[in-house]
Amino acid sequence: MTNRLAEAKSLYLRKHAENPIDWWSWCDEALAMAREQNKPIFLSIGYSSCHWCTVMEGEAFSDLAIAEYMNANFLPIKVDREERPDLDSIYMQALQMMSGQGGWPLNVFLSPDDLVPFYAGTYFPVEPRYGRPGFLQVLEALRRYYDTEIEDLNERKAVIIQSLATSAVLEDNGATNQVEEDELLRQGWEISTRVINSHQSGNRFPMIPYAELALRGNRFLLRSQSDGEAICTQRGLDLALGGIYDHVGGGFHRYTVDPTWTVPHFEKMLYDNGQIVEYLANLWSDGVKEPAFVRAVAGTVEWLRREMTAPEGFFYAAQDADSFTSPTDVEPEEGAFYVWSYSELEQLLTPEELRELQAEFTVTANGNFEGKNVLQRRHQGKLSATIEVALSKLFVARYGAKPESVKVFPPAANNQEAKTISWPGRIPAVTDTKMIVAWNSLMISGLARAGVVFQQPLYLEMAAQAAKFILQCQFKDGRFHRLNYQGEAAVLAQSEDYALFIKALLDLYASFPEEKYWLERAIALQEEFNEFLWSVELGGYYNTSGGQDLIVRERSYADNATPSANGVAIANLVRLSLLTDNMHYLDLAAQGLKAFTSVMHNAPQACPSLFTALDWYRHSTLIRSTINQLTPLISQYLPVSAFVVVSDLPLDTVGLVCQGFQCLAPAESQQELWQQVQQSQTRG
């Protein structure tokens, strides 16, 4: 017997269709019924590749006693955070206010009349364990509280809604001058450098917005007097050499559960891979010519092409951490698709290959993950031919054919497909095949940058195909939409979709500066973004165009696994002002930065993308020249530069460099042009 989620388009929601809980999706009908019946809302938010979401689905949400009590006393609503990041952001902030920490699954209890939360948590076990109460006991206690402690409940909600409202408005620090802005920017660079250089114990995440800002800051420092370059390089090495990278099949996992970058949490998210590809390309273009970076980028693009690209050209959202080891398994195992027992390696490889693999990777008889081995490289540099042959054999064991033979590896769209399809190798993890504009945009930007830096036309072609799909398919009823399910656009675009796709279009234009198409589409989409989401009163962009189901209207400024919408959007406005000579864009950028100045002063560790936007605002550079002169510049690391192709340069000149509101004398040689460009990057 399935519940109403069986008809949902979201893979995450459909995973709960067999639960005995009478789930609703987030909709007006569900909210109205909760108010009519005076039932507190149990709002559970997660996503398809979330390991602990999967665990709770198979435990508490499948328990008959819990379901009976839940259905009688609460109105249960299930939300895919990838469909509604606006809801997730509001209620995650509430969880953090209540508990000091966050995570998924995000389980929140709301009053039905005003949707204000009064209790929140993450994973709840069926029975008390891990220092957490049993879920049925939590439900019983909260229903008693809701019915009997009305005064305390209202006081508690008042504190929460006031805190949420205050954080949404932000304080105004007043105008700043250039000296203050430069000092603020310096502090932001230093903090981001410290963040990625942290040696604390615990998990390790890519944290690319911080790494990108730190890399930007290095250009202002004498390399002999700063360890910033080494810190940024080390982040690239941790990613390209670590167990977070899939050395056999390509692609990056979400994070590692240890501080040594060894054992990953195995899901692969499109948004991580797009950002990492762009970062590694930027490191290379900044002079860090590490062969492991080239291999990691190439392997990630091959994984993307093989497993994550739809026939229409867009990119799928994610792959699960868990997979089945046999069709008869009841539950999938974490990492099963990716890890290797020592006995398997002995069977698959020659003694020489195994010896070299052990010398190059962290391979032991006892393993480093539940008795098996996650491959992590020990050394930089290029891998030997013997190692590449060994890794190719492991690829065959996993995928059933040699790498060059597997052009397309079709996704397992759900657990049933994973267990019933006859796979030539191991049973793969489930792939969430929905298209998310924001995440596709991050991958488009990464491919566009890597294509130019590594001179790989295929990367640029893949980026362009995905962008064209979005432009052709994501506009419905005159509005831009966030998701695509099997050819159908769904859910109005949110600020991160606008901001990141406009950036992707500008990155494509930077890669193809003779093709005005990408710039024209960015300009058109920016107009829609301004019309529906710009805050005239406060500055900056709201997350959504608003609705009665939101208790506050947020303007996201904090970077999480993805860059903040407003940080990216403000940088886009500066770039558009350079490329169009339209100062209205620059005025909006100034208003946006002013809106978030208090955040940058008071919580600089939360918003590296806003500092990246400030860098663009303070140091923006426009380079006008012929395509022949611009081509070698585009592949260099020039993080605040925009390029325009011109053919009407003054006689005997090769290019024109403009810094903010002033232009330098026309360069008369390629060497002079390069000197002007370099100076422009470090002025101030």
Side-chain angles (χ1 to χ4, degrees), residues 370-425:
E370 299 180 356
K372 296 186 177 180
N373 289 281
V374 174
L375 299 185
Q376 178 180 22
R377 288 181 61 175
R378 302 178 188 271
H379 312 292
Q380 297 174 226
K382 189 174 182 179
L383 293 176
S384 70
T386 301
I387 291 290
E388 292 289 8
V389 169
L391 294 174
S392 179
K393 289 182 177 181
L394 300 186
F395 184 98
V396 172
R398 187 193 289 177
Y399 292 96
K402 293 181 179 180
E404 59 271 20
S405 301
V406 187
K407 300 302 181 184
V408 176
F409 191 76
N414 52 56
N415 282 345
Q416 185 64 20
E417 283 192 10
K419 293 208 292 183
T420 56
I421 291 176
S422 180
W423 302 99

Side-chain angles (χ1 to χ4, degrees), residues 185 189 212-223 286 614-616 618-621 637-641 678 680-683:
L185 190 52
W189 285 325
E212 284 282 8
L213 179 60
L215 184 62
R216 286 173 163 268
N218 289 342
R219 72 186 196 274
F220 286 89
L221 305 169
L222 291 174
R223 293 178 186 258
D286 195 36
L614 179 58
D615 188 20
W616 269 104
R618 291 288 296 118
H619 304 106
S620 60
T621 301
Y637 185 63
L638 302 171
V640 289
S641 294
Q678 286 185 302
S680 74
Q681 302 296 297
T682 56
R683 67 186 190 272

Side-chain angles (χ1 to χ4, degrees), residues 297-298 301-302 304-305 315 443-444 446-466 468 508 511-512 515 518 631 635:
V297 168
V301 175
E302 279 303 299
L304 185 73
R305 180 193 59 78
F315 308 122
M443 196 72 243
I444 292 167
L447 289 169
R449 184 62 184 153
V452 167
V453 169
F454 298 116
Q455 298 182 21
Q456 292 289 339
L458 173 64
Y459 300 0
L460 294 167
E461 181 184 337
M462 292 172 66
Q465 287 178 347
K468 287 176 181 176
L508 280 168
S511 305
F512 303 102
E515 297 188 19
W518 303 116
T631 297
S635 62

